[in-house]
Amino acid sequence: MTLPMGSASSPSTAQPALHEQLAELGSATDPLDRQAVLARVQRGLFAGAEEPVRIGRFVVLERLGTGTSGVVYAAYDPQLDRKIALKVLRADTDLPDEAHARLQREAQALARLSHPHVVAVHDVGDVDGRVFIAMELLRGGTLRQWARAEPRRPAQILAAYRQAGEGLAAAHAVGLVHRDFKPDNVLLDREGRVRVVDFGLARDHGDAGASMIEAVVTGEVARLEVDAHLTRTGTVMGTPAYMAPEQHAGRPADARTDQYSFCVSLYEALYGERPFAGDTLPTLAMAAQRGEVLPPAPGRAVPAWVRRALLRGLRPDPARRYPDMATLLTALGRDPSARWRRGGLVALGLSTVVGLTWLAADRGSPPAACSGFEHRLEGIWDAPRQEALERGLARGEDPGSADVWARVEPGLTEYAHAWVAARRDACEATEVHQEQSDDLLDRRVLCLDRALLPLSAAVDRLAEPDTETLMRAAELVPDRTLVDECSAQGVLDDGEPPPADPRLRERIAALESRIATVDSLSLAGRYLEGLEQAEQVVADAEALGHAPTQARALYSLGIARSHARRPQEAIEALMQAINWADRGRADRTRARATYRLVKRLADTSQFDDARRLAMATEALYDRLAEPPVGSAAKIALLWGHVEWCQGHYDAARARLTRAIELTEGSDDPSMAAMHTEALSHRGSLANETERPAEAEVDLRQALEERAGQVGPDHPELAVVLSNLGATQMLLGRPAQAEQMFRRSLEIRRRRLGPEHESLAPPLVNLGAIIMKQGRYAEAIALQQQALALMERSLGPTHAELAKPLHNLALAYLRLEQPDEALKTVQRARQIRHDALGPFHAKTIASEYQLAYVQMKAGHLEQAGATYERYIARMREHRPQDSHALTAGLLGLADVNLNRGRPHEAERLVQQARPAITDGPDRADERIAADFILARALDAQARSPARARALAERALVEAETTPHAQAKRDTIATWLAEHPQIDAPRTR
């Protein structure tokens, strides 16, 4: 509220002319105003005719001004014999009883607040239901008037506003929030001392009714003071030009809201304009919400460190402003250039020191302190440590240790150089360029200290490597992103600022070091050791009570549990990590945790939750101030994983293709790794959907790329080789398939030993190709070995166990052990049903396997029912998969033929025919369709010539299909048993 300070009259002052008094009487709308004017008129006309108007013991002299919530009068206090300012709540403000009582309490709180920069309140009372506040009368004008009276130097403006800020801080300390701070609500006395006035919109911190919306609804704010340059578009609490975004949005305000308004006011005083553009309330609110601060006008000599402090106080998110007014005032008073002039200016006069301070702040000079950060690498990645590590790896007994140094040294060195450069950049941004606050420098330094820990932990692991560590050596090299995240923008995603208490900081730093150790153990494959340490770190982080650190500890625990094959426990830890990241506003940790959690949820078939969280993760990556390198590709890979697990193969392929496009040709190591991963996944997906030609292209490229990244004999190549072998099987190249499976198995066995869990996939695939060659006993031995390894590492109910179980069932059938085959395939189906649900693509595939074994075992009725269930589920849940649906129709046709229903068998074959196209990948279907139809026609004694022609065509194609030996023998036997099929037959 503006208080126009004219000359206040004492009781003996001469009265205005009668016509002026009568005009004032006609314009007075407030009853108290009319009463005061009328009393003066009567006193002028009739000496002693009327007592002056009183409010309590105070004699009303004249009205000084009208504001949003009351009228201010000059008054006389006969008890203390002094003139005062008397603020009376407007007569047309209809307050509920509770609001009226609250206003009185707030005024009383102000009366108890004694501070040199808050207007002194002498008394509080009530007259005819109207609250009044008696306060000291100030005659020096408003801070706005002071600033415009003559040119003011920035140092003078800052000094005046710091006084006002101290007044706000004092009010905040007793639980009061101003809510309408602006230059017009700051007054000066005759000596130039600043006072904050008009707490008419102030509310107690703990007041549940403090929100602006409630104030408007209850009528607590009847009218607003709206800036003349703004269009009034609605009722809000405060003056729009100085309001914080939370006030524009109708959210509760607190001390940080006053901080924002203070920074708008100071910015305006220093730069001659407000920080945000907008001629209407909506445009102004939008600019403030986006944080779109105008560039400074030319010619304004405002120091960079003052601007940095103001920009932080003007952040749209209250959590990212200064924690309180005192901290803001400290930042405004912290001249970084003074540190470089210590000792040389002590003898100079105060005015000289101030002048040089502001001049130096504009000029800046490179301090020596922003160099020598290489010393921080001593004992971590210096020459002695590098030489010792190189010698140790060269002497290693493991066959993979010889080339590890050549592969890890460039990455470790690059990371170290990036860290030094980032540390120097952080220092120079504050001390040289003066574009960054000391607080932001502090946060960047702490972030970089944390980024140094993975480098130290990686070198520690590599200095005493075991087989698992050497296999994963490339993964131990820290990602350069950890350094990039410590940029001025990146640290804003880290969460709450670090605590000021140095002892608490030391405890957090020690805990962060232990978290880095846990992460390095997980990356090195020492899962149980890492898990044990992770549990203890989480317990200690909980006792520490710093939410961002607790979130990081829980995230590491989630990763450790994932590696230790404890998916549900991993999910629990990751969910807790997200919870604590939210509490600590640690968006980057939350993004990492949600990314991992989506994968775990998809792996455990919790698809609805996985999809919801994947969308939230995508939005969170977009929100980060400094998104990680390749974030769009990471999201595409994440969605590809979810779609693939859910059996949405076309959608998964589209996502993986997008990831490949986004990472194509990148020199960044993390992007190159994502490109290889996407290629490998898309190739494996093509295998699963029986598109081997596409799979071969992707997998060969992935194999070449990964060999260049990790070396020609790295165990990771075994995964791609195994998948490429499966492709050769689908292409009808059994010899090439067996060669790749054996190479994959040999790499893993040589590097990891004969009992390592990763031997299971190549054992499964090798057993399958051997079975196709008729070596059933050997195939069973390989599948059983793979099954034992998988049960030991994954447990007896993991969905992956279905692969060796299916192969075992087929081998048992070939060895004429139908009961064993049926028991085995039933277990596989049940495992997938329980783990993935009844409608997952893999569960439906197990239905087909069960039907096939039931038919071969002679359980025709059961087989028919299972095939019908399979076909129904395919049509409902997998209608686009023509291969699988055709296989079901042909299987059911075969069952009906064996049940003596040749007409139904013929109908089913004709139904399947349109989907059976040319090409090697559909050869099995063409052979089966021709042979079933030949037998159906024969059984119906129809078209014997056509029946024989179909059977002979099936035999010819089977003879050119490498893995169709069993089919060839069956068809040839049937033709031999029907030598006269071309002659007419009668029944």
Side-chain angles (χ1 to χ4, degrees):
M1 180 191 69
T2 303
L3 304 181
M5 293 298 168
S7 298
S9 300
S10 68
S12 60
T13 302
Q15 301 293 326
L18 179 60
H19 72 276
E20 294 175 352
Q21 295 179 0
L22 291 174
E24 186 179 358
L25 179 64
S27 64
T29 57
D30 187 283
L32 190 57
D33 275 355
R34 294 181 60 84
Q35 188 178 353
V37 174
L38 182 59
R40 290 200 303 274
V41 172
Q42 290 176 339
R43 284 198 301 274
L45 292 174
F46 312 104
E50 181 70 30
E51 285 291 320
V53 175
R54 294 177 181 270
I55 298 178
R57 71 174 187 270
F58 306 107
V59 178
V60 176
L61 303 177
E62 62 176 314
R63 182 178 62 190
L64 298 177
T66 302
T68 60
S69 56
V71 184
V72 180
Y73 301 95
Y76 174 72
D77 183 352
Q79 181 176 319
L80 300 177
D81 190 24
R82 64 181 170 187
K83 293 174 184 176
I84 63 164
L86 194 67
K87 179 175 179 179
V88 185
L89 191 69
R90 297 181 66 98
D92 57 354
T93 301
D94 183 18
L95 291 184
D97 291 341
E98 64 273 14
H100 190 282
R102 184 167 60 200
L103 189 58
Q104 281 191 307
R105 292 196 305 270
E106 291 158 1
Q108 290 165 356
L110 275 175
R112 293 192 298 270
L113 175 59
S114 176
H115 191 273
H117 298 302
V118 177
V119 66
V121 175
H122 303 307
D123 197 5
V124 179
D126 184 292
V127 57
D128 298 329
R130 299 175 67 180
V131 175
F132 70 84
I133 305 171
M135 62 191 78
E136 64 180 316
L137 184 62
L138 302 174
R139 300 182 182 280
T142 68
L143 198 52
R144 187 190 301 278
Q145 293 167 341
W146 171 85
R148 291 176 175 175
E150 62 180 79
R152 307 286 183 184
R153 289 183 291 108
Q156 292 176 298
I157 295 171
L158 184 60
Y161 269 89
R162 288 188 67 191
Q163 292 182 48
E166 290 172 8
L168 280 177
H172 296 163
V174 297
L176 290 173
V177 181
H178 194 290
R179 294 176 183 258
D180 194 25
F181 183 88
K182 56 187 176 183
D184 307 293
N185 282 340
V186 182
L187 301 179
L188 291 83
D189 60 18
R190 292 187 184 277
E191 290 73 37
R193 190 175 66 173
V194 168
R195 311 281 214 291
V196 181
V197 301
D198 198 358
F199 280 77
L201 294 178
R203 294 293 179 268
D204 190 290
H205 279 306
D207 193 341
S211 75
M212 177 201 55
I213 293 176
E214 180 177 343
V216 173
V217 171
T218 61
E220 195 169 337
V221 180
R223 57 175 57 82
L224 287 177
E225 181 179 7
V226 180
D227 190 282
H229 299 291
L230 296 172
T231 301
R232 179 175 175 178
T233 62
T235 301
V236 289
M237 180 176 282
T239 305
Y242 301 92
M243 282 165 41
E246 60 266 27
Q247 289 176 291
H248 285 293
R251 296 192 298 271
D254 58 21
R256 295 170 298 182
T257 306
D258 284 350
Q259 178 189 147
Y260 186 95
S261 301
F262 174 89
C263 288
V264 173
S265 303
L266 177 54
Y267 188 104
E268 181 182 27
L270 290 170
Y271 289 98
E273 61 183 358
R274 294 176 189 134
F276 302 106
D279 293 329
T280 65
L281 182 56
T283 58
L284 176 70
M286 185 62 70
Q289 182 60 48
R290 292 174 176 170
E292 297 172 346
V293 178
L294 293 168
R300 292 282 176 172
V302 179
W305 52 275
V306 173
R307 182 174 178 84
R308 290 196 301 268
L310 290 175
L311 293 181
R312 176 168 176 179
L314 291 171
R315 288 177 181 168
D317 182 359
R320 292 188 169 180
R321 299 171 199 157
Y322 288 98
D324 49 46
M325 279 298 302
T327 310
L328 168 60
L329 295 175
T330 299
L332 288 170
R334 183 186 293 153
D335 177 2
S337 63
R339 284 175 287 180
W340 311 113
R341 300 189 319 278
R342 284 175 185 162
L345 295 176
V346 176
L348 297 178
L350 178 60
S351 62
T352 307
V353 173
V354 172
L356 286 176
T357 295
W358 288 75
L359 181 62
D362 286 333
R363 183 177 64 243
S365 58
C370 291
S371 61
F373 293 115
E374 293 84 357
H375 294 303
R376 288 292 311 280
L377 298 175
E378 291 177 359
I380 298 174
W381 193 243
D382 53 6
R385 197 82 197 272
Q386 294 175 36
E387 291 170 5
L389 184 60
E390 183 178 11
R391 286 196 305 269
L393 290 172
R395 292 195 304 264
E397 296 180 0
D398 189 280
S401 65
D403 66 341
V404 167
W405 170 254
R407 297 196 174 278
V408 301
E409 185 275 331
L412 294 172
T413 299
E414 180 188 359
Y415 188 90
H417 289 166
W419 186 92
V420 171
R423 184 63 183 85
R424 183 171 54 249
D425 175 76
C427 178
E428 291 179 351
T430 294
E431 307 299 358
V432 178
H433 308 299
Q434 297 180 350
E435 61 189 13
Q436 173 180 273
S437 68
D438 287 350
D439 174 74
L440 189 54
L441 171 62
D442 187 34
R443 296 191 67 172
R444 291 184 68 183
V445 169
L446 289 173
C447 177
L448 287 165
D449 286 348
R450 191 168 65 242
L452 198 54
L453 297 173
L455 177 63
S456 178
V459 177
D460 288 344
R461 294 284 81 74
L462 291 167
E464 298 179 359
D466 54 15
T467 300
E468 291 280 358
T469 301
L470 291 171
M471 183 184 78
R472 294 171 171 81
E475 297 175 35
L476 281 166
V477 177
D479 190 339
R480 163 70 184 270
T481 301
L482 297 176
V483 173
D484 296 338
E485 289 169 358
C486 297
S487 67
Q489 288 295 313
V491 294
L492 300 180
D493 298 320
D494 272 348
E496 297 171 346
D501 185 347
R503 291 172 299 180
L504 188 55
R505 283 195 177 201
E506 288 180 6
R507 293 174 62 193
I508 290 175
L511 202 63
E512 294 285 4
S513 178
R514 293 168 60 194
I515 291 172
T517 298
V518 168
D519 292 342
S520 70
L521 288 169
S522 294
L523 290 172
R526 294 160 64 173
Y527 303 137
L528 296 180
E529 186 180 351
L531 180 59
E532 182 180 354
Q533 292 194 28
E535 300 278 3
Q536 186 58 53
V537 167
V538 167
D540 293 343
E542 184 176 353
L544 194 63
H546 186 245
T549 304
Q550 192 163 348
R552 285 190 284 270
L554 283 161
Y555 172 72
S556 291
L557 176 61
I559 300 304
R561 286 177 172 175
S562 295
H563 286 309
R565 307 286 190 179
R566 300 183 183 179
Q568 287 305 132
E569 293 179 26
I571 288 172
E572 179 184 351
L574 292 170
M575 290 177 67
Q576 291 182 37
I578 292 169
N579 177 38
W580 282 102
D582 282 342
R583 294 189 190 189
R585 301 181 179 90
D587 283 352
R588 194 172 302 282
T589 302
R590 190 190 199 285
R592 290 190 175 112
T594 54
Y595 191 92
R596 291 281 188 165
L597 182 55
V598 169
K599 286 194 167 186
R600 298 293 78 78
L601 291 170
D603 290 341
T604 54
S605 304
Q606 301 176 58
F607 298 121
D608 290 342
D609 289 340
R611 298 187 75 85
R612 281 193 292 268
L613 195 60
M615 287 188 285
T617 305
E618 190 169 3
L620 184 58
Y621 269 69
D622 288 341
R623 194 179 79 194
L624 291 176
E626 183 96 7
V629 173
S631 56
K634 285 177 69 69
I635 291 297
L637 275 169
L638 183 67
W639 274 111
H641 182 82
V642 173
E643 301 288 11
W644 190 358
C645 287
Q646 199 168 359
H648 299 163
Y649 295 136
D650 290 341
R653 187 178 188 279
R655 295 284 190 172
L656 293 171
T657 299
R658 179 59 178 158
I660 291 168
E661 293 169 350
L662 289 169
T663 53
E664 189 79 49
S666 175
D667 293 331
D668 183 89
S670 62
M671 293 281 279
M674 281 192 281
H675 186 262
T676 305
E677 180 184 355
L679 280 171
S680 181
H681 288 347
R682 191 174 70 174
S684 299
L685 179 62
N687 273 343
E688 198 162 317
T689 53
E690 297 187 5
R691 292 187 285 198
E694 296 176 17
E696 186 172 32
V697 173
D698 283 345
L699 291 172
R700 287 195 182 278
Q701 184 178 348
L703 183 66
E704 180 181 354
E705 289 183 6
R706 200 57 181 151
Q709 293 162 4
V710 299
D713 290 322
H714 194 280
E716 285 190 18
L717 296 183
V719 178
V720 188
L721 281 167
S722 189
N723 290 331
L724 196 52
T727 304
Q728 303 308 307
M729 287 176 59
L730 292 171
L731 290 171
R733 304 168 185 166
Q736 293 94 319
E738 182 174 352
Q739 181 184 9
M740 289 182 176
F741 291 147
R742 289 195 180 280
R743 183 183 167 198
S744 172
L745 188 61
E746 178 57 28
I747 288 175
R748 291 182 174 179
R749 185 175 281 151
R750 181 163 50 88
R751 292 289 299 272
L752 304 174
E755 299 299 323
H756 196 272
E757 62 187 63
S758 67
L759 270 64
L763 284 169
V764 169
N765 291 327
L766 182 59
I769 197 67
I770 285 176
M771 181 171 60
K772 286 184 175 295
Q773 298 172 20
R775 296 148 60 186
Y776 304 124
E778 186 180 349
I780 287 176
L782 291 169
Q783 299 295 343
Q784 287 177 336
Q785 185 181 349
L787 182 64
L789 291 174
M790 294 171 73
E791 286 179 323
R792 189 173 63 198
S793 62
L794 302 176
T797 60
H798 197 280
E800 288 300 302
L801 269 63
K803 291 180 180 179
L805 288 170
H806 281 158
N807 289 336
L808 278 170
L810 293 176
Y812 288 137
L813 279 179
R814 300 295 184 264
L815 291 175
E816 298 183 356
Q817 300 177 30
D819 293 341
E820 195 66 27
L822 192 57
K823 181 176 67 174
T824 303
V825 77
Q826 285 172 337
R827 181 189 171 194
R829 175 190 170 278
Q830 192 63 46
I831 284 175
R832 281 185 170 172
H833 182 280
D834 294 343
L836 304 175
F839 307 121
H840 191 279
K842 291 182 179 180
T843 307
I844 297 173
S846 287
E847 290 281 357
Y848 175 85
Q849 296 290 343
L850 175 60
Y852 179 80
V853 172
Q854 287 172 333
M855 179 182 67
K856 293 299 181 180
H859 304 299
L860 298 181
E861 294 297 326
Q862 295 177 7
T866 305
Y867 270 128
E868 287 173 354
R869 183 169 62 243
Y870 167 80
I871 293 168
R873 289 182 177 177
M874 283 298 303
R875 283 174 170 161
E876 181 178 359
H877 300 285
R878 306 282 308 146
Q880 74 280 8
D881 192 343
S882 63
H883 282 274
L885 181 58
T886 299
L889 290 169
L890 294 176
L892 183 58
D894 205 3
V895 168
N896 277 290
L897 188 60
N898 285 289
R899 293 164 70 186
R901 301 174 182 176
H903 180 74
E904 181 64 15
E906 182 182 359
R907 185 187 68 80
L908 288 166
V909 171
Q910 298 297 357
Q911 191 175 340
R913 278 281 193 193
I916 304 175
T917 58
D918 294 333
D921 58 326
R922 307 303 288 258
D924 283 341
E925 295 171 4
R926 290 194 297 272
I927 294 168
D930 283 348
F931 188 45
I932 292 171
L933 186 55
R935 289 183 294 146
L937 292 173
D938 176 62
Q940 297 175 72
R942 292 176 42 224
S943 306
R946 183 178 174 222
R948 185 169 185 86
L950 286 168
E952 289 176 343
R953 186 172 70 179
L955 179 60
V956 170
E957 186 150 23
E959 288 173 344
T960 60
T961 302
H963 58 270
Q965 179 64 47
K967 292 184 176 65
R968 288 198 300 271
D969 295 343
T970 301
I971 297 170
T973 300
W974 188 86
L975 283 170
E977 292 174 351
H978 296 74
Q980 303 300 321
I981 196 169
D982 54 339
R985 293 167 53 185
T986 59
R987 286 188 178 270

